[in-house]
Amino acid sequence: MKAVKQIWSWVSSIAISFVLVLILGVFVFQSTRVSGHSMDPTLHDTQRVYVSKLSHTFRYEPDYGDIVIIDSRVNLRRTFKNDLLDSPLLSLFVHGDDKHIWIKRVIGKPGDVLEMKSNKLYRNGELLDEPYLNEEMKANSNKKWTVPDDNIFVMGDNRNNSMDSRIIGFIPMDHVLGKKLF
């Protein structure tokens, strides 16, 4: 009987720890690994970053220049199940495809008019100062976007080699999964 109590004590402690780590990872804080070169030179392939999930949990709008983690499946309606399945802890047990989780920089917020002309990016008519870029953006044509309500526009820092809002469109706020802390 004493052995059963000891085993139960261990199992319950592990279960409580698992649930707490899961809750923290879904709602508060998580680490993630950069995959690819779209954020060069700011972030590098395989670099680990730490993300605050509070902006997603409480639906805070990110600021210009924030580096955010997004779900790139913009046509998918996100649910709590998606939040659980995207948790790093559960991904240890459920082999899923995390290629839809991207890390990008916030360029436009609701109501902003973004314009690309002559390889330069303008927000609401003003040229953006982007010291984090390491080369001039090579745009094939002039383009203009108006960011709708409850959406943002994101781009990678490696503009010439980045899949971002220029390709997939605007990012719904519920697809902004967190903000890079460090």
Side-chain angles (χ1 to χ4, degrees):
M1 196 58 141
K2 188 173 184 178
V4 171
K5 284 185 178 182
Q6 187 71 19
I7 291 171
W8 176 249
S9 173
W10 277 95
V11 169
S12 62
S13 294
I14 291 170
I16 290 169
S17 298
F18 181 85
V19 169
L20 286 174
V21 169
L22 182 64
I23 289 170
L24 286 173
V26 169
F27 297 109
V28 181
F29 179 82
Q30 81 175 46
S31 71
T32 192
R33 188 176 305 271
V34 176
S35 178
H37 297 277
S38 72
M39 285 299 290
D40 286 344
T42 308
L43 301 173
H44 306 287
D45 188 33
T46 71
Q47 180 179 347
R48 183 150 303 276
V49 296
Y50 297 91
V51 178
S52 169
K53 303 290 289 274
L54 294 175
S55 60
H56 180 67
T57 301
F58 295 112
R59 305 283 188 240
Y60 298 147
E61 184 178 283
D63 291 326
Y64 297 119
D66 281 351
I67 296 175
V68 293
I69 308 303
I70 63 164
D71 181 342
S72 65
R73 302 170 300 178
V74 295
N75 295 321
L76 172 79
R77 186 177 171 275
R78 277 196 64 89
T79 64
F80 180 66
K81 179 181 176 185
N82 297 118
D83 289 341
L84 286 175
L85 293 176
D86 288 340
S87 163
L89 182 61
L90 282 186
S91 69
L92 294 173
F93 303 103
V94 179
H95 183 63
D97 175 18
D98 67 349
K99 295 192 185 315
H100 63 277
I101 304 297
W102 293 359
I103 186 164
K104 303 292 176 189
R105 187 177 299 273
V106 176
I107 301 299
K109 296 180 1 176
D112 285 339
V113 176
L114 302 168
E115 193 169 6
M116 243 189 327
K117 53 186 178 184
S118 302
N119 298 330
K120 304 281 186 216
L121 186 60
Y122 295 82
R123 181 174 49 230
N124 302 324
E126 292 187 28
L127 177 64
L128 291 184
D129 178 28
E130 300 181 289
Y132 40 81
L133 300 181
N134 67 345
E135 65 183 9
E136 182 179 77
M137 179 174 48
K138 294 176 181 82
N140 292 337
S141 62
N142 296 338
K143 295 195 177 185
K144 192 174 191 176
W145 301 270
T146 300
V147 183
D149 288 341
D150 204 34
N151 284 264
I152 61 171
F153 191 93
V154 298
M155 295 175 84
D157 289 356
N158 187 358
R159 297 287 161 79
N160 297 318
N161 296 295
S162 177
M163 291 281 293
D164 49 41
S165 287
R166 294 172 293 174
I167 307 297
I168 64 170
F170 305 108
I171 309 301
M173 286 298 195
D174 67 344
H175 283 55
V176 179
L177 307 180
K179 177 177 145 180
K180 178 188 169 286
L181 292 173
F182 53 91

